[in-house]
Amino acid sequence: MNTAAIAKVISGTAIVCALMCSCMKGSGLPGIVPLPGSVVAEKGEFVLLGESDIYIASDAEGMEYAADELKTVLSGICGVAVLESDDPGASVVLGLSDELGESSYLLDISPDRIKITGGDPAGVFYAVQTLKQLVPAQAYNGKAGRVSIPAVVINDSPKMMYRGVMLDAARHFFTKDEVKKFLDIMALHKMNVFHWHLTDDQGWRIEIDSYPELVGTGSVRKRTIVGKDPGGEYDETTVYDETPHSGYYTKDDIREIVEYARRRFITVIPEVEFPGHAVAALASYPWLGCTGEQYEVRQTWDIDDRVFCIGKESTFRFFEDVLAEVTDLFPSEYIHIGGDECPSKMWEKCPHCNRRMEQEHLDSYRQLQAYGTFRLEKFLESRGRRIIGWDEILEAGISPSAVVMSWRGTEGGIKAAKSGNYVVMSPTGYSYFDYYQTRNTENEPLAWGGYLPLEKVYSFDPYEGLDADDKKFVLGVQANLWTEYIPDFRQAEYMLLPRLAAMSEVAWSSASGNYPDFRARLADFLELYRSFGYTFSETALRE
């Protein structure tokens, strides 16, 4: 995914939302999420019989992925057999058209056939995700008898080319199969960037051949704090579970997951934290820190003062070795280097860091951090990559090629866009899905805090505060799932859904409607969640 492609905003053939809603409800069509650009109901229905023959009218790279997705959908419905055909008159036809934009599609369902035309293979894939919603949800669990799909013409395209979701696997580890399920959920919602948070104080989750102790030591937390973290006030009354938590992804695991994502038109962006959130790495290799002390992988959630030493050249040799292996594994244009929540306490006492500041004529410790960031960026550029980081990287200045992920509100993103840097809007107030979904938290699983109801997510305007010239620097939006208080995948699904449906509409729909309209359409989408066995929050629907 290159910058030009990511930055391009494709406007669909948007129609007035009231007309859209009327068309869906009046025709018996299910509500579609995210809202398509144009929906026109036709007469009749396409009936799925015992066999469906598919004709693929293009041999473009990626068409087989879209076709495989369609086969999976159809073959899962009441035992329908799916056959490839050489006949252009087959009952299902997949093709491409130069007249459609990137990731756009035309889904034309008549009583005689289903015809899917994409501007590219990704567009065909997204049409299949829409088709999933037109199939009666009961058909996926074998409870439907005669299965029919309403005749309809849908013309659709994405508003934003970066539609991201972040999963934190450092605080709690998720298996390879669980990550794949996460990717399937993303694909259903037409989200296309998987930001994978792989390293932090509480765990290092990616195998690095040149530094085996990163997973030998850094992937194992000997115990975890129980209940709400008191934020640094730890004493003999602090309770721990006394249970080791461990796990990491081998290189083969990562290759498999990256390929799995690619076949769903999802780009995987890894995050390797620098210079803060470093304790798991320092526990593995103490010389990476300012003091060289031996630490344990962190067992609590508060921000830690123990960070990478920027004064030592050995730190940069370490990161160049690590990032060389990371870029070999991940083909994404962007590599996320974190950059957030990095205290300078250790640097202030460190002779190596203070010597570095003198040598480089740096006036502040934030400039010291910027020095380190620039060095990592230069190395990544030598390997054909670019950095993306949380908005703290703005504080001492960044290069024109760096991308800013704005999380402390949208102010950092607005500042970056006005300076000509590309931006992903991901503010806590709209995008942090580790926040509670209700004010009545008594019966909810423990969460980080805050309150982010479904309606608030839906109200997110990532362009607010930007003029027309600045808006072109907003690549897109991202939902974040931090997992300090999410110990298993079932709870991850619960926190993600249905809020991801709201975020998907923010990211995808140029013709997005008002919240009551979204809620009406969401009811049909929830039936699909149930058919696929996804866990979602009923509480979020009552707010």
Side-chain angles (χ1 to χ4, degrees):
M1 180 183 298
N2 58 46
T3 303
I6 259 182
K8 186 178 179 184
V9 177
I10 305 174
S11 59
T13 54
I15 63 175
V16 178
C17 176
L19 178 60
M20 168 78 76
C21 191
S22 173
C23 172
M24 286 185 178
K25 300 303 178 188
S27 64
L29 290 172
I32 299 170
V33 178
L35 185 68
S38 171
V39 176
V40 178
E42 302 287 344
K43 292 182 179 180
E45 57 188 20
F46 179 90
V47 179
L48 280 169
L49 301 175
E51 291 186 354
S52 291
D53 51 333
I54 297 177
Y55 176 72
I56 305 172
S58 169
D59 60 359
E61 183 180 359
M63 282 296 286
E64 69 272 25
Y65 308 150
D68 286 346
E69 180 75 358
L70 179 60
K71 293 172 190 175
T72 298
V73 172
L74 296 180
S75 62
I77 299 171
C78 301
V80 171
V82 182
L83 308 172
E84 284 198 27
S85 173
D86 295 328
D87 181 7
S91 58
V92 184
V93 177
L94 308 182
L96 301 178
S97 171
D98 293 337
E99 295 180 5
L100 295 173
E102 183 179 355
S103 296
S104 302
Y105 67 87
L106 180 64
L107 174 60
D108 186 350
I109 302 175
S110 69
D112 298 324
R113 66 161 54 175
I114 297 174
K115 186 176 182 181
I116 297 174
T117 308
D120 54 18
V124 177
F125 183 86
Y126 297 133
V128 175
Q129 303 310 312
T130 298
L131 181 62
K132 282 183 182 179
Q133 297 185 59
L134 295 172
V135 173
Q138 300 88 341
Y140 293 107
N141 55 30
K143 294 182 179 179
R146 177 179 179 273
V147 178
S148 63
I149 304 172
V152 66
V153 177
I154 298 176
N155 198 328
D156 200 10
S157 59
K159 177 172 69 177
M160 294 179 149
M161 297 309 291
Y162 185 114
R163 304 181 300 279
V165 190
M166 187 279 292
L167 177 65
D168 169 16
R171 273 54 176 266
H172 281 100
F173 178 76
F174 300 96
T175 68
K176 179 176 63 176
D177 288 340
E178 288 169 339
V179 174
K180 288 180 178 180
K181 189 175 183 183
F182 194 88
L183 293 167
D184 288 336
I185 292 171
M186 285 182 58
L188 177 65
H189 292 79
K190 300 185 176 77
M191 306 299 275
N192 70 337
V193 179
F194 174 45
H195 172 181
W196 202 2
H197 186 81
L198 290 166
T199 74
D200 217 297
D201 295 318
Q202 297 81 13
W204 183 286
R205 307 294 179 207
I206 174 173
E207 182 180 41
I208 301 295
D209 291 338
S210 50
Y211 297 95
E213 283 306 308
L214 288 172
V215 294
T217 297
S219 71
V220 183
R221 181 170 70 243
K222 77 175 185 180
R223 62 182 186 173
T224 302
I225 190 170
V226 173
K228 194 69 175 178
D229 193 307
E233 301 299 323
Y234 311 113
D235 56 29
E236 66 277 358
T237 66
T238 304
V239 178
Y240 298 88
D241 62 10
E242 305 304 334
T243 302
H245 182 85
S246 62
Y248 67 92
Y249 305 99
T250 69
K251 288 191 168 183
D252 285 343
D253 290 337
I254 290 169
R255 292 184 188 101
E256 186 176 333
I257 288 168
V258 168
E259 176 63 15
Y260 192 88
R262 188 174 73 91
R263 296 182 71 89
R264 285 148 186 80
F265 299 91
I266 294 172
T267 298
V268 184
I269 295 179
E271 180 178 0
V272 177
E273 283 272 13
F274 173 88
H277 293 276
V279 177
L282 303 187
S284 306
Y285 295 99
W287 49 265
L288 290 168
C290 290
T291 67
E293 293 177 75
Q294 179 66 62
Y295 304 133
E296 291 185 324
V297 176
R298 186 164 179 138
Q299 303 154 14
T300 55
W301 308 127
D302 196 30
I303 297 171
D304 204 296
D305 292 331
R306 298 168 292 180
V307 300
F308 289 108
C309 181
I310 296 182
K312 299 177 184 176
E313 279 301 302
S314 55
T315 301
F316 293 99
R317 286 194 295 272
F318 167 83
F319 266 98
E320 288 180 3
D321 292 340
V322 168
L323 291 175
E325 294 191 37
V326 167
T327 52
D328 284 343
L329 287 169
F330 295 93
S332 56
E333 177 184 7
Y334 295 110
I335 304 295
H336 204 299
I337 53 86
D340 60 310
E341 299 178 328
C342 183
S344 60
K345 181 178 178 179
M346 302 299 288
W347 297 339
E348 292 165 15
K349 303 175 184 177
C350 176
H352 305 286
C353 290
N354 284 287
R355 187 179 309 115
R356 177 81 72 187
M357 291 183 67
E358 292 176 9
Q359 292 170 344
E360 301 296 333
H361 308 292
L362 306 176
D363 297 326
S364 71
Y365 292 102
R366 290 282 73 84
Q367 288 184 355
L368 180 67
Q369 178 175 344
Y371 164 84
T373 301
F374 283 134
R375 285 194 59 171
L376 264 58
E377 181 177 23
K378 185 176 180 181
F379 175 77
L380 286 170
E381 285 178 347
S382 74
R383 299 182 69 85
R385 310 305 178 86
R386 298 171 61 181
I387 68 162
I388 184 168
W390 301 107
D391 56 51
E392 283 95 331
I393 67 174
L394 280 167
E395 292 178 1
I398 57 173
S399 74
S401 63
V403 175
V404 173
M405 190 166 278
S406 188
W407 74 279
R408 297 177 300 175
T410 58
E411 293 79 9
I414 292 170
K415 178 182 177 182
K418 289 184 177 296
S419 300
N421 286 89
Y422 285 108
V423 173
V424 175
M425 291 295 193
S426 190
T428 58
Y430 296 95
S431 302
Y432 271 45
F433 287 7
D434 55 327
Y435 285 13
Y436 283 107
Q437 303 178 76
T438 176
R439 293 191 190 278
N440 182 16
T441 61
E442 183 177 347
N443 297 317
E444 290 292 294
L446 181 63
W448 181 263
Y451 171 54
L452 181 55
L454 186 65
E455 185 173 7
K456 179 76 178 292
V457 178
Y458 190 79
S459 71
F460 182 28
D461 177 6
Y463 296 124
E464 186 176 3
L466 294 168
D467 61 29
D469 289 337
D470 299 330
K471 288 179 181 178
K472 65 177 182 257
F473 291 105
V474 178
L475 300 179
V477 297
Q478 181 170 289
N480 296 320
L481 194 63
W482 299 104
T483 64
E484 288 92 337
Y485 300 112
I486 300 177
D488 56 55
F489 193 75
R490 183 178 177 85
Q491 192 169 328
E493 287 183 326
Y494 180 86
M495 299 300 284
L496 191 67
L497 304 175
R499 289 187 288 192
L500 186 60
M503 185 61 77
S504 76
E505 195 144 307
V506 170
W508 180 276
S509 301
S510 296
S512 56
N514 58 34
Y515 184 67
D517 167 51
F518 167 73
R519 283 296 305 271
R521 287 181 285 109
L522 183 62
D524 292 317
F525 204 39
L526 297 181
E527 290 304 314
L528 205 60
Y529 287 175
R530 292 186 179 99
S531 293
F532 292 165
Y534 296 153
T535 301
F536 64 92
S537 171
E538 299 276 4
T539 303
L541 304 171
R542 295 193 291 269
E543 288 294 296

